[in-house]
Amino acid sequence: MLKGIIPFAHQILKETIKEGDVVVDATSGNGNDTLFLSKLVGNSGKVFAFDIQRQAIETTKDLLTNNNCSNVQLIHDSHEKINTYIQAEHQIAGAIFNLGYLPRSDKKIITQRDSTIRAIDSLAQRLKKHAIIAIVVYYGHEGGNKEKDAVIDFTSKLDQKQFSVLTYQFINQKNNPPFVIAVQKK
Ligand code: SAH
């Protein structure tokens, strides 16, 4: 069967992230991706997880505590500040974004075009060889199209000598289903 959007994003990260790696969840939200990354890198690795909403940080913290994960640094700040929080000596072995709004929460608090691009740009410059940024693009909400177009524009212009960039998308589904943009460092 063709993999769904989140399973596809997880699979490509799982194939490239190893125990001991340093990885990023750029939008921790309800914490499911943070937990997934935490298990992949294990106790010798480290996850940096960002979210601008207190509620998302708290939900993620509870999920991690219930799963005995202690390798995550939760950062209540914008993902565009990656270089402020992650020391320059760390190469990034993988990252995930879930764009859009936090489900069952304020639909007005959404990821924004400019900060999303800055975060992708900062991460791309720090990727380890073969590391992947998986961007799950939700765009059905107000403002979503503007961000989607900008992310496609930015990532499609990344130098093909340095990066492979693809989209994974179901093109016959209704209601603007999410899709993946994956950026891999060569
Ligand atoms: N739409 C997805 C979930 C997106 S969650 C779904 O349906 O599953 C997106 C998260 O990004 C939210 O928790 C939101 O608070 C967070 N966010 C928005 N802008 C951000 C920023 N600049 N930096 C970090 N997190 C941000």
Side-chain angles (χ1 to χ4, degrees):
M1 296 302 290
L2 295 173
K3 279 211 173 346
I5 292 301
I6 299 290
F8 176 78
H10 282 190
Q11 185 198 340
I12 58 177
L13 291 171
K14 195 173 174 176
E15 284 169 1
T16 46
I17 292 170
K18 293 189 285 298
E19 229 177 286
D21 278 341
V22 173
V23 297
V24 174
D25 185 351
T27 50
S28 75
N30 290 321
N32 298 311
D33 294 329
T34 312
L35 177 61
F36 170 75
L37 292 173
S38 168
K39 288 180 174 164
L40 283 184
V41 301
N43 281 335
S44 56
K46 178 98 189 223
V47 184
F48 291 89
F50 291 82
D51 207 291
I52 52 168
Q53 286 192 75
R54 171 60 61 194
Q55 185 199 329
I57 295 290
E58 294 303 328
T59 308
T60 301
K61 190 189 283 174
D62 289 346
L63 185 66
L64 295 170
T65 306
N66 292 340
N67 286 276
N68 298 314
C69 298
S70 54
N71 57 355
V72 179
Q73 183 174 335
L74 284 170
I75 301 164
H76 184 204
D77 203 345
S78 176
H79 42 225
E80 73 208 282
K81 298 208 194 138
I82 275 154
N83 290 333
T84 308
Y85 290 97
I86 310 178
Q87 303 90 309
E89 70 261 27
H90 292 310
Q91 277 197 314
I92 310 295
I96 189 161
F97 287 75
N98 273 279
L99 304 182
Y101 59 85
L102 184 62
R104 298 178 298 282
S105 181
D106 186 349
K107 294 195 165 97
K108 297 236 155 49
I109 306 177
I110 55 172
T111 51
Q112 302 281 343
R113 177 185 67 184
D114 293 354
S115 41
T116 299
I117 302 289
R118 277 196 289 272
I120 296 169
D121 190 15
S122 300
L123 280 168
Q125 291 174 36
R126 298 185 56 173
L127 287 182
K128 205 167 153 173
K129 188 177 165 79
H130 297 161
I132 289 175
I133 307 172
I135 308 160
V136 183
V137 185
Y138 293 80
Y139 62 99
H141 55 283
E142 208 181 313
N145 262 314
K146 190 173 85 169
E147 182 183 42
K148 168 180 75 85
D149 291 345
V151 172
I152 291 173
D153 184 62
F154 178 80
T155 54
S156 61
K157 287 176 181 152
L158 286 167
D159 178 7
Q160 69 171 31
K161 293 201 189 81
Q162 290 190 62
F163 299 98
S164 304
V165 183
L166 65 73
T167 61
Y168 181 80
Q169 180 170 27
F170 293 93
I171 58 174
N172 67 333
Q173 286 181 358
K174 296 191 174 73
N175 301 324
N176 308 311
F179 65 95
V180 177
I181 297 178
V183 175
Q184 182 169 42
K185 182 73 195 274
K186 287 194 171 173

